[in-house]
Amino acid sequence: MHDVEHIEKQPTLRVTTMPNDANAAGDIFGGWLMSQIDIAGAIEAKVRAKGPIATISVKELIFHKPLFVYDLVSFYTDISKIGKTSIEVSIEVYARRMREGEFQTIKVAWAKYVYVAISKPGLKRPVPAE
Ligand SMILES: CC(C)(COP(=O)(O)OP(=O)(O)OC[C@H]1O[C@@H](n2cnc3c(N)ncnc32)[C@H](O)[C@@H]1OP(=O)(O)O)[C@@H](O)C(=O)NCCC(=O)NCCS
């Protein structure tokens, strides 16, 4: 069901699923969704890190419901923890689709990804003060 908390909040990323993103069963490949979650979390982390970041960990990930081709997928991100060099981002994923003449909005996934601020590939740096 639609979560009212998010009505006022802008998604960090919105994307439509395409036929090429489907698996053999006809719904969306989980690896496609993992990479889109990574992109959304990285957008949030990069702003806070004021520069480049690298993904170090998929800390938690739940696929609540299947995604289907031509769903409009929205990613809502929040920083849940900041360490010396790391930034943990929680990401909620909602799908909007037309069913029986009406739009439905469904929570399809939830994740926590961890990013590390870097100055170049392989070299971490402290997360700067806000
Ligand atoms: C990112 C990178 C530079 C970090 O260097 P590192 O020496 O491994 O770093 P550390 O072990 O000191 O960990 C750095 C931070 O990440 C955190 N961290 C490490 N492993 C973690 C894990 N499994 N889960 C959550 N946080 C983790 C550490 O606690 C530390 O946080 P803090 O500084 O805020 O206390 C290095 O691991 C790297 O380049 N990895 C590859 C990144 C990449 O290519 N990502 C894309 C993969 S396709």
Side-chain angles (χ1 to χ4, degrees), residues 70-91:
Y70 301 128
D71 280 351
L72 175 61
V73 192
S74 298
F75 300 78
Y76 295 89
T77 59
D78 278 302
I79 292 175
S80 37
K81 201 157 106 187
I82 299 179
K84 187 170 177 289
T85 66
S86 67
I87 299 170
E88 181 187 280
V89 182
S90 70
I91 304 112

Side-chain angles (χ1 to χ4, degrees), residues 13 32-33 40 45 65 87-88 104:
L13 179 69
W32 177 88
L33 184 52
K65 302 273 184 201
I87 299 170
E88 181 187 280
Q104 294 180 336

Side-chain angles (χ1 to χ4, degrees), residues 3-124:
D3 183 342
V4 286
E5 247 179 55
H6 285 136
I7 290 174
E8 299 299 325
K9 189 171 166 162
Q10 289 295 316
T12 304
L13 179 69
R14 292 177 101 188
V15 63
T16 302
T17 52
M18 298 300 282
N20 272 351
D21 308 321
N23 60 33
D27 59 343
I28 297 299
F29 172 50
W32 177 88
L33 184 52
M34 286 182 75
S35 75
Q36 299 300 313
I37 292 172
D38 190 23
I39 291 167
I43 291 169
E44 180 83 44
K46 204 179 285 187
V47 171
R48 180 59 190 85
K50 299 180 181 168
I53 43 110
T55 311
I56 191 158
S57 169
V58 176
K59 195 170 171 186
E60 290 185 62
L61 174 61
I62 306 172
F63 295 123
H64 292 294
K65 302 273 184 201
L67 268 177
F68 298 105
V69 174
Y70 301 128
D71 280 351
L72 175 61
V73 192
S74 298
F75 300 78
Y76 295 89
T77 59
D78 278 302
I79 292 175
S80 37
K81 201 157 106 187
I82 299 179
K84 187 170 177 289
T85 66
S86 67
I87 299 170
E88 181 187 280
V89 182
S90 70
I91 304 112
E92 284 187 276
V93 188
Y94 289 80
R96 190 162 162 79
R97 64 177 71 117
M98 182 70 88
R99 285 291 180 271
E100 293 161 8
E102 288 194 5
F103 275 112
Q104 294 180 336
T105 302
I106 295 155
K107 185 171 176 174
V108 292
W110 177 86
K112 265 186 189 172
Y113 279 36
V114 183
Y115 302 87
V116 172
I118 55 168
S119 43
K120 63 177 185 180
L123 192 63
K124 65 189 173 190

